[in-house]
Amino acid sequence: EPFRDKPIVYFAAQTVSLRLFGMHEAAVRLPGVLFSLLGCVTTALLAWRLFDREVAWYALLAALTLVLPVMLTQSPAHDIALVPAINVLAICFWEQEQSSDARSRWRWLGGGAVCVALALLTKGLIGIAVFAVGIALYALATRSLSWRLVGRCAFVLICGGALASPWFLAMEQASPGYLNYYFIQRHLLGFVTEAETHGAAPWYYYAAPVLGGAMPWLLYSLAAVVQLWPDEKRTAESRATIFLACWFVGGFLFLSIANSKLWTYSLPLFPPLAV
């Protein structure tokens, strides 16, 4: 039966799996496992672009063994499909920041717009918001905030929204009032009020599942930040470390402030820890 409470990407993957392999529990869970593996691979790709191939191999091993993501892989939750899109979006943001060629920068911005569209069609606005807060912190921490950066980010968001809009408009036509329900009641009111059934959780809700679920690699992550952040020359490694730290801290604060809380919402916070 159609489930219109969430966007289409993960459920489309489940539909394909069920039609290929039949109405079995394994077919329901298979897309989650595949999306999880794709998230690990894109985490390694992110590490390669930020650092080098050696770091990429370590990041892949860490991503494959982070406790909470491995546990949630067994649950058919669409948040797992969000992680690869956010990882590639992070790569696109980093590459356009490092690019000195205008044509190359526009290609990365175009790729970022596609990732935004995929994220919207997987999770809606919350997946983008978790990462966007991290970008804002990074711009402030590195003193790189400028109108050009704001304009590029706005371009990516607007183009990504335009690419994803046909599905949301089709949903509004099929179920009048859907846009108001999904974006106003679920997103806005779910963030600022306790309207959701899983609202009213304490502000420290994510501390145990995220910090505990990231063990033992969290300790290495903290050590890496301490080692590489205080680089006065702001080398590429130092800026990459700041980028990852801001991604995690910004997303963690955003999710903690929100009234609507679920463990699965925290999945986009684990790739920077793995790297």
Side-chain angles (χ1 to χ4, degrees), residues 136-146 149 234 239 242:
L137 287 181
Y138 170 76
L140 293 174
T142 57
R143 299 180 181 179
S144 59
L145 182 62
S146 65
L149 177 61
R234 284 290 183 262
R239 293 179 69 89
I242 295 172

Side-chain angles (χ1 to χ4, degrees), residues 52-230:
D52 55 40
R53 292 186 179 182
E54 182 180 4
V55 176
W57 282 110
Y58 286 122
L60 177 61
L61 292 173
L64 286 167
T65 52
L66 285 165
V67 176
L68 186 63
V70 170
M71 290 171 56
L72 294 178
T73 297
Q74 310 306 313
S75 171
H78 63 278
D79 303 79
I80 295 173
L82 176 65
V83 175
I86 297 299
N87 282 345
V88 180
L89 177 60
I91 294 172
C92 292
F93 172 80
W94 181 257
E95 293 291 346
Q96 67 84 28
E97 278 289 284
Q98 306 304 309
S99 178
S100 57
D101 178 61
R103 182 176 297 180
S104 175
R105 173 170 286 173
W106 280 108
R107 284 199 296 265
W108 288 112
L109 290 174
V114 173
C115 293
V116 167
L118 289 174
L120 289 174
L121 292 173
T122 302
K123 180 67 178 176
L125 292 172
I126 186 171
I128 303 300
V130 169
F131 181 66
V133 175
I135 290 180
L137 287 181
Y138 170 76
L140 293 174
T142 57
R143 299 180 181 179
S144 59
L145 182 62
S146 65
W147 286 112
R148 289 185 178 182
L149 177 61
V150 173
R152 292 196 296 268
C153 291
F155 170 82
V156 170
L157 291 174
I158 292 172
C159 291
L163 290 173
S165 63
W167 184 83
F168 289 103
L169 294 176
M171 284 296 297
E172 175 67 19
Q173 184 175 7
S175 300
Y178 173 80
L179 293 178
N180 175 272
Y181 164 74
Y182 188 67
F183 288 106
I184 302 300
Q185 297 183 39
R186 290 300 309 274
H187 280 71
L188 181 60
L189 296 181
F191 181 82
V192 301
T193 70
E194 301 174 1
E196 296 296 317
T197 56
H198 45 77
W203 64 269
Y204 53 84
Y205 174 88
Y206 290 103
V210 173
L211 301 183
M215 289 296 182
W217 308 119
L218 176 64
L219 301 178
Y220 292 90
S221 301
L222 295 174
V225 171
V226 172
Q227 180 181 2
L228 295 176
W229 185 301

